[in-house]
Amino acid sequence: MRQYSFRTISSEHPLKTHLVMALLMACPTTLWAGESVQSGRPEAKPAADAAGSTLSDAAWQTLRRQAVERPRRIIFNNDGNEPVYFCKAATAEELLKARTSRLAGSQVDSIFYCTWSSGFGLFTHNTKAGQVFSTREAMFKDNRTQEFLDRKLDPLQVMADFAHQHGMELFWSMRMNDTHDGAGADYGPVMFRANRLKQEHPEWLIGSKEHPPRHGAWSAVDYGVPEIRDLAFRYCAEVCRNYQVNGIELDFFRHAFFFRCSGRGEPCGDAELDQMTALVRRIRAATEEAGRKCNRPILLAVRVPDSTDYCRLIGIDLERWLREGLVDLLIVSGYTQLNPWEYSVQLGHRYGVKVYPSLDEPRVRDEGARKLRGTPAAYRGRALNVWHAGADGVYLFNFFDPASSLWRELGDPAGLRKLERTYFASVRGVGSMPVPHQKFLRVPTLNPASPVSVAAGKPGRVVFRVGEDFAGAGEPARICLRLRFKNMPAAGQFHGSLNQQPLSNGEIRDVWMEYQLNAKALCAGINLLEVSCADSPAGPFSLLDLCIEVTPAED
């Protein structure tokens, strides 16, 4: 096995180690083809030196709080694919044109830019601690990352410059354990071959293709390995020292699988929780140290599942991190939502942490249901539910259309109430996670793949949320409750009520039963639909979907 080129510094001299590492990270160079990624060293406590800061502790804390409190109406998470797939030339203009230029003047206040980070340690910024993702094999034949860096155009710096020129903040986002390289799709093997760390250290992975874990992807790195934790720290510290970022995001949702015990179906214990907490403490210390040296706060955001119990199951001691003041921004959820947004808002605000629910693209299986949930009207309804829950802003993930009107809408709840919007009982359905999550679900999952059965003597109930008060805001032109059934009940066989008031005068349109509602029929927040049926030769039926369509009154 080939050895790493980085010369190990003796752990017997931690101060010397810290100083040498600081010098190394202050001088980033591109990893050229044929070089090897650097080896991790044993974890050591970070130095708390704030040399270079000209601010008193009190002034620094005031500056930090101002940075935390700044408005973030919309946070745009960009997965950084542009230099790999979309740029026809290695220029700043081409990089920004793909997804970013047209956001100037929009409601986007923050860009969270992920420099690929798909496969642990692979990046599209000028890293020395990690490896530049420069492969041009197969579907990556148009990858211009190395060409950008050869031209002294660093994608991360280009994004930071754009953000700051337009009054936005820029966070660097690192996916903590992205496992696309373990996928069976054609890109998986190519990405795995490109990752020198995983090629050279298969013992640092949770499994192998031949012996995969019971849960999660085999290509995930094991955070129980000290070298992996140290590398994760060094990736973050390098960015803090070398780029003018406003923050670091640790994306634990990509993918939420970190320890071998999770792969075996066992809960993480104190050892795993302590190891991950120690890593977050080190990263927090690095952001503080680098920020104080330049009198510019570098905040720390985490993107995690929205359940403290589930987080602990997989090795994330979230409430401990909040209690210890390690986190400034809390991004919750992804393809799976476990709790109502109010749960996370109350949790974060209890510790003075800002909360931003993540509105990922819908992935329910039914094509028609998925398309309905991906419309601008559906995103508006989702955003209104976020704002009504008391969140501090909206976070968009895997949403890349720079021409969409939503960039100029979702950050303004008053403006959203003047536009068409749609509410669903569930946008995500049951969802999916590397480690089973079903027993932690505390939200409705209604969609065609997770229906509610209704039979004689066994009524069905669905709780859903509406993020506005219709009665107190003036009558909209039209509010329509739409119910989709399997085995549509015949007239007289179906009985429904909304918030304990009977439904009547329903009309069948295609596979939907529609009811026109008045403004008082719905409550701001929680609403309850109940459906029942009488004995029928046709037997029981199923409720497949529920949505509320709102058409505003014309001015």
Side-chain angles (χ1 to χ4, degrees):
M1 181 178 296
R2 184 155 51 90
Q3 295 298 312
Y4 285 116
S5 60
F6 179 73
R7 182 168 59 88
T8 304
I9 303 170
S10 172
S11 60
E12 297 178 2
H13 302 285
L15 180 57
K16 182 178 179 181
T17 298
H18 172 75
L19 292 173
V20 174
M21 287 302 298
L23 288 171
L24 286 172
M25 292 186 178
C27 305
T29 58
T30 302
L31 272 173
W32 303 100
E35 289 184 17
S36 182
V37 293
Q38 299 170 5
S39 171
R41 58 178 172 81
E43 283 194 62
K45 292 182 179 180
D49 177 28
S53 176
T54 60
L55 297 177
S56 67
D57 288 346
W60 173 251
Q61 291 304 322
T62 298
L63 192 62
R64 284 195 88 266
R65 199 64 219 170
Q66 289 173 348
V68 171
E69 293 290 341
R70 68 166 286 162
R72 297 177 186 87
R73 293 168 294 176
I74 299 176
I75 298 174
F76 167 41
N77 180 293
N78 186 345
D79 63 12
N81 284 351
E82 307 101 315
V84 176
Y85 292 125
F86 306 125
C87 291
K88 297 180 181 179
T91 66
E93 294 75 16
E94 189 74 9
L95 181 71
L96 294 168
K97 181 178 70 173
R99 297 173 175 172
T100 309
S101 296
R102 281 180 280 185
L103 300 183
S106 70
Q107 295 169 4
V108 175
D109 294 314
S110 307
I111 297 175
F112 282 34
Y113 193 70
C114 174
T115 53
W116 190 253
S117 194
S118 191
F120 184 82
L122 293 180
F123 304 109
T124 55
H125 67 271
N126 193 12
T127 180
K128 190 175 182 180
Q131 177 189 345
V132 171
F133 183 67
S134 58
T135 185
R136 303 193 75 169
E137 181 184 352
M139 71 289 301
F140 302 114
K141 61 182 176 60
D142 296 322
N143 182 4
R144 298 185 183 274
T145 299
Q146 192 63 59
E147 187 179 348
F148 270 95
L149 299 180
D150 290 345
R151 295 186 177 188
K152 310 300 181 185
L153 285 172
D154 187 313
L156 180 55
Q157 190 59 55
V158 171
M159 289 296 164
D161 291 343
F162 174 88
H164 297 154
Q165 288 166 8
H166 294 281
M168 306 175 187
E169 62 181 358
L170 191 285
F171 277 57
W172 177 64
S173 178
M174 183 175 81
R175 297 182 170 190
M176 299 300 285
N177 214 351
D178 188 287
T179 55
H180 280 91
D181 55 8
D186 54 357
Y187 57 76
V190 177
M191 294 171 69
F192 190 76
R193 283 195 294 272
N195 194 313
R196 291 197 291 272
L197 181 145
K198 293 187 178 184
Q199 291 289 321
E200 295 173 11
H201 282 285
E203 74 276 13
W204 290 356
L205 307 184
I206 289 181
S208 67
K209 189 174 182 179
E210 296 72 27
H211 301 285
R214 178 182 173 191
H215 301 297
W218 61 268
S219 64
V221 296
D222 179 8
Y223 273 80
V225 174
E227 290 86 350
I228 291 298
R229 298 196 300 276
D230 190 69
L231 283 167
F233 164 76
R234 287 168 52 199
Y235 300 154
C236 295
E238 180 184 54
V239 168
C240 288
R241 290 184 174 97
N242 296 341
Y243 295 87
Q244 292 184 338
V245 297
N246 301 100
I248 299 287
E249 180 192 41
L250 307 179
D251 186 352
F252 288 95
F253 226 99
R254 271 291 193 272
H255 290 101
F257 180 49
F258 309 104
F259 294 100
R260 289 183 182 274
C261 59
S262 296
R264 298 191 297 266
E266 302 168 4
C268 288
D270 290 342
E272 291 82 10
L273 292 166
D274 290 345
Q275 287 169 351
M276 194 66 86
T277 297
L279 171 60
V280 175
R281 286 198 193 109
R282 289 187 73 197
I283 294 171
R284 175 62 148 189
T287 62
E288 284 294 279
E289 180 182 355
R292 293 208 66 167
K293 285 182 177 178
C294 60
N295 291 333
R296 173 177 45 82
I298 300 176
L299 304 181
L300 188 61
V302 295
R303 183 171 182 248
V304 294
D306 60 326
S307 163
T308 56
D309 290 336
Y310 182 77
C311 281
R312 284 183 60 86
L313 176 80
I314 62 174
I316 297 173
D317 204 347
L318 178 58
E319 189 154 11
R320 183 181 180 185
W321 300 355
L322 300 175
R323 187 170 58 248
E324 291 187 12
L326 302 179
V327 174
D328 298 300
L329 311 183
L330 177 61
I331 319 299
V332 290
S333 190
Y335 297 138
T336 300
Q337 182 180 352
L338 300 175
N339 281 293
W341 296 135
E342 288 83 355
Y343 170 95
S344 297
V345 170
Q346 293 169 12
L347 173 66
H349 288 180
R350 187 184 312 149
Y351 297 101
V353 172
K354 299 296 184 179
V355 181
Y356 305 89
S358 178
L359 303 186
D360 298 38
E361 84 277 21
R363 290 195 174 189
V364 296
R365 298 173 190 170
D366 183 89
E367 183 178 0
R370 187 169 61 252
K371 286 183 177 179
L372 285 175
R373 286 159 169 78
T375 63
Y379 270 95
R380 294 180 192 124
R382 296 171 71 186
L384 279 167
N385 276 339
V386 165
W387 287 112
H388 187 265
D392 298 288
V394 175
Y395 183 102
L396 285 180
F397 188 91
N398 270 4
F399 188 89
F400 300 125
D401 180 5
S404 173
S405 64
L406 295 178
W407 300 114
R408 289 167 168 77
E409 297 171 357
L410 300 187
D412 178 11
L416 287 172
R417 289 191 288 269
K418 299 177 182 179
L419 302 170
E420 292 184 354
R421 58 266 192 205
T422 304
Y423 296 93
F424 287 88
S426 172
V427 171
R428 294 174 170 89
V430 175
S432 62
M433 297 290 286
V435 178
H437 65 286
Q438 286 79 357
K439 71 177 183 179
F440 297 91
L441 282 165
R442 302 291 183 271
V443 292
T445 61
L446 179 66
N447 76 96
S450 181
V452 171
S453 297
V454 181
K458 295 182 179 180
R461 296 179 176 86
V462 178
V463 172
F464 64 97
R465 281 172 161 75
V466 172
E468 57 186 302
D469 181 3
F470 293 113
E475 185 89 18
R478 179 174 176 268
I479 306 175
C480 180
L481 167 66
R482 306 182 74 213
L483 305 177
R484 179 181 171 186
F485 293 99
K486 181 180 180 180
N487 297 331
M488 180 78 74
Q493 299 296 320
F494 166 77
H495 304 282
S497 67
L498 177 61
N499 296 324
Q500 299 183 332
Q501 298 300 314
L503 292 170
S504 59
N505 300 320
E507 296 183 8
I508 297 176
R509 296 182 185 274
D510 296 326
V511 295
W512 296 86
M513 178 83 78
E514 296 186 351
Y515 296 89
Q516 304 304 315
L517 305 178
N518 63 53
K520 295 181 180 179
L522 292 168
C523 303
I526 298 174
N527 293 266
L528 173 65
L529 174 79
E530 297 179 281
V531 291
S532 60
C533 68
D535 286 322
S536 168
F541 62 91
S542 296
L543 177 64
L544 301 181
D545 216 345
L546 176 158
C547 69
I548 300 287
E549 292 184 345
V550 184
T551 304
E554 295 183 1
D555 294 333

